[in-house]
């Protein structure tokens, strides 16, 4: 049983093994292992592996209310296929002016030049859960070029309520001492349990 | 109270312990047996949050952990919340 548990412990990610491997092996030596423990080791190793290799990780997140809207700053770490990681830094400002709205997004992916997107929208007719808006989008690139697009877009009205609920979850979770990434995982776990 | 992270914090509130000592202590005071995988999953999360830290040890392999002030604060808050629930539950059961 101990031998099998030690073999399964090798499934933990390399970084985890480097930090906890020796003391974890010592614990496996000390404990009278059951089949349930062995299964638990395999499950925990796989969970740790999924967390560290495939899922993006929220490194930092800050949100604040501003007149008629809010601002959001995020730093998210995305794993690449070759094992390296890429940081994506983002800033979002949404302002609702009643009949219209303005959204400003500034983002930088890894070492690539940053890009800014400004969307000005005029609210239109509502049908069911959707509203048809007239928007103007400006993409401001680091090389100085600006791409301007006018289009009619359908806006999902439930998005605002979902966004506000998520902001509240992050706000209360961070107040309780959880990291943004832990809150993200809790939200994902809760969603996966929904029927 | 079966959240492994809370059980580990409660165990370390008594003093520094390594993994096996935590498992035994938790089984004694909570009647819950945490397996090695679950225990180290909780230790990993708690250290990432900065609520516990590795403590000094003469044993190269068995690493003891100590509670940080932030971890103690979180435990105090959680225990206070649980206490409220227990008191409300007992009161309602008496009236049922």
């Amino acid at each position: 049983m101990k031998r099998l548990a030690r073999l399964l412990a090798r499934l933990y990610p390399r970084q985890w093994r480097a930090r906890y491997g020796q003391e974890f092996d010592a614990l496996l030596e000390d404990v009278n292992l059951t089949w349930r423990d062995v299964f638990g080791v395999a499950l925990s190793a796989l969970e740790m592996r999924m967390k560290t290799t495939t899922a993006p990780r929220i490194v930092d997140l800050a949100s604040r209310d501003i007149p008629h809207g809010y601002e959001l700053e995020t730093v998210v770490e995305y794993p690449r296929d070759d094992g390296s990681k890429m940081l994506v830094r983002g800033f979002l400002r949404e302002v609702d002016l009643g009949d219209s709205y303005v959204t400003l997004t500034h983002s930088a992916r890894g070492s690539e030049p940053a890009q800014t997107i400004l969307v000005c929208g005029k609210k239109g007719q509502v049908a069911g859960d959707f509203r048809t808006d007239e928007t103007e989008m400006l993409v401001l690139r680091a090389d100085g070029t600006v791409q301007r697009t006018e289009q009619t877009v359908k806006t999902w009205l439930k998005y605002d309520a979902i966004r506000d609920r998520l902001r509240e979850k992050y706000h209360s979770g961070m107040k309780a001492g959880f990291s943004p990434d832990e809150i993200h995982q809790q939200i994902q776990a809760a969603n996966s349990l929904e029927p | 109270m079966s959240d492994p992270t809370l059980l580990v914090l409660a165990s370390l509130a008594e003093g520094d312990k390594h993994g096996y000592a935590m498992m035994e202590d938790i089984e004694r005071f909570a009647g819950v047996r945490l397996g090695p995988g679950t225990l180290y999953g909780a230790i990993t999360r708690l250290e990432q949050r900065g609520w516990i830290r590795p403590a000094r040890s003469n044993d190269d392999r068995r690493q003891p952990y100590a509670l940080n002030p932030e971890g103690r604060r979180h435990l105090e808050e959680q225990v206070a919340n649980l206490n409220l629930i227990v008191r409300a539950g007992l009161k309602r059961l008496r009236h049922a």
Side-chain angles (χ1 to χ4, degrees), chain B residues 6-74:
Chain B
L6 216 51
L7 291 169
V8 170
L9 290 177
S11 178
L12 293 180
E14 188 196 43
D16 302 356
K17 288 183 192 71
H18 56 67
Y20 184 61
M22 275 186 243
M23 278 179 72
E24 285 199 316
D25 182 47
I26 290 166
E27 193 164 5
R28 206 164 35 236
F29 77 77
V32 176
R33 187 181 181 283
L34 293 186
T38 309
L39 178 72
Y40 261 83
I43 288 174
T44 306
R45 288 194 294 278
L46 288 168
E47 199 187 354
Q48 281 171 352
R49 287 177 203 165
W51 290 351
I52 64 171
R53 66 179 186 282
R56 281 188 182 175
S57 166
N58 294 326
D59 190 332
D60 288 341
R61 284 164 56 79
R62 287 163 186 81
Q63 174 62 59
Y65 287 88
L67 196 59
N68 280 339
E70 297 81 8
R72 181 172 292 278
R73 206 173 308 128
H74 178 74

Side-chain angles (χ1 to χ4, degrees), chain A residues 83-175:
Chain A
S84 64
K85 289 166 182 170
M86 176 181 67
L87 275 186
V88 177
R89 298 166 193 277
F91 170 82
L92 169 72
R93 172 183 276 195
E94 280 196 19
V95 178
D96 190 325
L97 300 165
D99 293 341
S100 63
Y101 54 90
V102 179
T103 303
L104 174 78
T105 314
H106 181 78
S107 62
R109 296 165 58 88
S111 55
E112 291 173 23
Q115 182 174 269
T116 304
I117 301 174
L118 181 67
V119 177
C120 302
K122 192 176 171 194
K123 295 179 186 175
Q125 294 288 322
V126 175
D129 289 337
F130 291 90
R131 191 183 62 219
T132 305
D133 299 343
E134 297 298 328
T135 65
E136 179 188 16
M137 182 169 77
L138 298 175
V139 180
L140 296 89
R141 298 204 175 86
D143 62 7
T145 58
V146 178
Q147 181 190 334
R148 183 171 178 276
T149 316
E150 281 184 20
Q151 56 185 344
T152 303
V153 297
K154 271 194 166 181
T155 301
W156 189 40
L157 294 172
K158 287 186 177 174
Y159 163 76
D160 287 355
I162 293 170
R163 179 202 61 202
D164 291 344
R165 211 160 52 233
L166 282 173
R167 284 187 67 217
E168 177 51 36
K169 275 184 196 263
Y170 277 101
H171 182 71
S172 56
M174 287 168 79
K175 217 172 159 185

Side-chain angles (χ1 to χ4, degrees), chain A residues 8 11-13 40-51 53:
Chain A
L8 289 169
L11 290 173
Y12 278 96
V41 169
L43 195 68
S44 172
L46 291 175
E47 278 177 5
M48 209 67 76
R49 188 166 276 276
M50 283 175 73
K51 269 185 204 167
T53 57

